[in-house]
Amino acid sequence: MIKVGITGGIGSGKTTVCKLFELLGVPVYYSDTEAKKLLDEDEVVKQQIVDLFGHDVIDESGKVDRKKMAALVFNNKERLEQLNAVVHPAVAQHFEAWCKKQTNVFILKEAAILFESGAHKQVDKVIVVSAPLDLKVERVIKRDKVAKEEVLKRINNQMPDEEKVKLADHVIYNNEKELLIPQVIAVYQQLIN
Ligand code: ATP
């Protein structure tokens, strides 16, 4: 089975592209969603978070309060690295276990920070979804109902798309010029052959 990572900047359309692959029967591992689930449900991960940040980050229902945790790591590189050192290996391990249960010719691992987290080393191929900045901003403002400055701040925190494209095996352009579905089918065909 081929493991394929799929990444791209905020609002590039990774999730949209993944949904198209899912329609073609490709299993998709959504790293962000799984990371959140691990924080909510995995007792070992939760304990490591408490060891790092104290009991204050656990809310009344016993779950990690992600907003509080985000505030604690915001603008604090050392704390962010400590958090990543807990979450990234936990997701990597969970992904490996998930892969063992899949039977498709290839699977996708969707991750906004595939390269930044080192998760690209866990996959055989990488697809990068790329979109122009103005379109990404427009889409995220519409989707998340946030201010333009907020979107730009998030985008500036990530590795630029141009760098990601250089590291990609396949690039899907979600730019309203090239059609998305034929590009997805073309990559799909290359990966199954
Ligand atoms: P994030 O990293 O923020 O989760 P993403 O890369 O997964 O973003 P999507 O959620 O797939 O991006 O797309 C962002 C928004 O733009 C969504 O609301 C999606 O419906 C919309 N969108 C994406 N691609 C297109 C397209 N080709 N045409 C119209 N809308 C699109």
Side-chain angles (χ1 to χ4, degrees), residues 24-124:
L24 296 171
V26 179
V28 182
Y29 184 91
Y30 292 94
S31 303
D32 265 15
T33 313
E34 297 301 337
K36 282 175 191 159
K37 267 199 231 161
L38 286 172
L39 280 173
D40 279 348
E41 294 162 11
D42 189 305
E43 291 305 326
V44 177
V45 171
K46 241 176 4 193
Q47 186 55 50
Q48 286 174 312
I49 297 293
V50 170
D51 291 346
L52 273 180
F53 302 121
H55 275 285
D56 274 3
V57 289
I58 304 294
D59 67 16
E60 292 116 43
S61 65
K63 286 182 178 166
V64 174
D65 185 330
R66 287 199 299 272
K67 270 197 182 146
K68 257 191 197 164
M69 202 176 63
L72 281 171
V73 300
F74 185 71
N75 275 341
N76 188 325
K77 205 168 164 240
E78 197 188 332
R79 277 204 189 133
L80 178 63
E81 277 170 12
Q82 288 172 327
L83 173 64
N84 286 344
V86 171
V87 177
H88 293 166
V91 173
Q93 202 180 9
H94 185 259
F95 170 65
E96 283 307 326
W98 178 88
C99 283
K100 290 204 173 81
K101 290 186 256 166
Q102 309 307 320
T103 53
N104 214 50
V105 178
F106 75 93
I107 58 90
L108 288 180
K109 183 186 201 207
E110 193 236 40
I113 51 165
L114 189 83
F115 295 113
E116 297 91 325
S117 68
H120 64 293
K121 294 180 202 143
Q122 232 187 337
V123 293
D124 307 299

Side-chain angles (χ1 to χ4, degrees), residues 7-19 30 32 110-112 129 135-136 138-140 142-144 154 158 173-176 178 180:
T7 190
I10 288 166
S12 59
K14 303 177 285 299
T15 310
T16 306
V17 169
C18 284
K19 298 288 172 207
Y30 292 94
D32 265 15
E110 193 236 40
V129 182
L135 205 51
K136 287 196 285 198
E138 193 184 301
R139 285 174 185 154
V140 177
K142 201 167 156 199
R143 186 194 60 187
D144 297 348
R154 288 196 225 163
Q158 294 186 334
Y173 295 96
N174 187 15
N175 55 12
E176 291 187 342
E178 282 117 310
L180 212 45

